């Protein structure tokens, strides 16, 4: 399966407007944003766990990172409330689920295969002091990518000219980028060489951004 698999194109997906599609596990549904591969895939997805649902135990052969968008994600390692950012590198494993239900934004098979750094962070607690209306937390940085979380005041502009492509998820509020209004749940991917200029709407915005990673995009090595 290929979905939004041309990484040389600008892509915008208003994920809140997509239908939910059932996963192989009852009570776990998905909205796919991009994908290369079948059930094992390099994938970017919004996943919804119904209350008291679980996914089967699995090993992250290609790594997994996710943000808890609402509710509480749970596994044998603990509870992960809304606003948590998690990196589970290759070779880690768990049995995910949620008693109260939750929604997560998750990326699979997009790690350096030698990465073994596992962590969780409360994104808001990592924020720096605002500069020109933008407060930013650097969540992760390595040779392949940089991951950040930002609060943007109403009318303020967040800009990025990082090499290697730019990807943004609007977690709350809205921004205007290249004339498009991107509200909660909107996902933007800009190709390598593009620049980002996002102006927050009247309620401000909270956004997650990854840069530098698109040159490494490829199908899973399985």
């Amino acid at each position: 399966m290929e979905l939004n698999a041309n990484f040389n194109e600008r892509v915008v997906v208003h994920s809140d407007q997509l239908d939910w599609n059932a996963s192989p596990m009852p009570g776990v549904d998905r909205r796919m944003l991009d994908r290369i591969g079948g059930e094992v895939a390099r994938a970017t997805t919004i996943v919804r766990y119904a209350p008291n649902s679980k996914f089967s135990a699995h090993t992250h052969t290609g790594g997994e990172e996710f943000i808890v968008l609402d509710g509480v994600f749970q596994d044998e390692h603990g509870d992960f409330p809304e606003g948590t950012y998690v990196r589970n590198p290759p070779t880690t494993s768990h049995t995910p689920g949620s008693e109260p239900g939750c929604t997560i934004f998750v990326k699979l098979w997009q790690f350096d295969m030698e990465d073994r750094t596992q962590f969780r962070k409360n994104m808001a607690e990592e924020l720096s002091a605002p500069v020109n209306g933008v407060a930013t937390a650097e969540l992760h940085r390595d040779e392949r990518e940089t991951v950040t979380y930002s609060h943007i005041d109403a009318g303020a502009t967040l800009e990025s000219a990082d090499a290697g492509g730019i990807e943004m998820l609007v977690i709350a509020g809205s921004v205007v980028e290249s004339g498009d209004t991107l509200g909660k749940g909107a996902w933007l991917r800009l190709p390598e060489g593009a620049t980002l200029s996002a102006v927050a709407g009247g309620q401000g915005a909270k956004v997650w951004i990854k840069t530098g990673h698109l040159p490494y995009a490829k199908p899973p090595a399985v």
Side-chain angles (χ1 to χ4, degrees):
M1 176 181 179
E2 290 195 353
L3 175 66
N4 294 324
N6 184 345
F7 295 93
N8 295 313
E9 294 182 346
R10 176 180 181 271
V11 178
V12 173
V13 178
H14 299 278
S15 71
D16 285 1
Q17 299 176 15
L18 299 178
D19 292 333
W20 289 104
N21 296 304
S23 80
M25 303 302 294
V28 182
D29 299 320
R30 305 182 287 199
R31 287 169 166 164
M32 299 181 184
L33 304 178
D34 71 10
R35 196 172 188 91
I36 306 174
E39 193 53 42
V40 175
R42 181 209 184 276
T44 304
T45 313
I46 306 288
V47 179
R48 180 181 65 184
Y49 285 80
N52 298 308
S53 62
K54 285 188 174 182
F55 211 87
S56 55
H58 58 272
T59 297
H60 303 118
T61 307
E64 167 195 75
E65 72 181 310
F66 64 89
I67 305 166
V68 182
L69 300 174
D70 62 52
V72 180
F73 179 92
Q74 298 169 310
D75 62 18
E76 59 268 45
H77 305 297
D79 292 351
F80 303 80
E82 179 180 339
T84 306
Y85 172 66
V86 180
R87 288 181 73 90
N88 291 324
T91 75
T92 58
S93 62
H94 67 168
T95 306
S98 180
E99 290 184 5
C102 70
T103 307
I104 65 173
F105 168 79
V106 59
K107 298 178 71 66
L108 301 174
W109 279 98
Q110 298 179 45
F111 273 64
D112 179 346
M113 295 303 290
E114 301 304 315
D115 189 344
R116 295 294 182 268
T117 303
Q118 184 176 25
F119 65 81
R120 60 186 287 182
K121 291 182 178 179
N122 179 309
M123 297 191 296
E125 291 179 355
E126 301 289 322
L127 287 169
S128 63
V131 176
N132 297 324
V134 181
T136 295
E138 184 174 281
L139 303 174
H140 175 75
R141 179 186 292 270
D142 61 27
E143 293 180 356
R144 296 163 54 106
E145 64 184 33
T146 301
V147 182
T148 60
Y149 171 69
S150 296
H151 285 193
I152 314 171
D153 291 344
T157 301
L158 184 151
E159 297 182 328
S160 174
D162 287 3
I166 301 170
E167 181 178 345
M168 178 176 70
L169 177 73
V170 180
I171 297 173
S174 66
V175 300
V176 175
E177 193 278 333
S178 296
D180 289 332
T181 298
L182 308 179
K184 179 181 177 180
W187 176 77
L188 168 73
R189 195 184 69 209
L190 299 176
E192 186 170 11
T195 60
L196 172 71
S197 180
V199 181
Q203 302 301 313
K206 299 177 182 179
V207 300
W208 176 95
I209 291 177
K210 182 192 287 280
T211 64
H213 58 307
L214 295 187
Y216 304 98
K218 60 184 179 181
V222 294

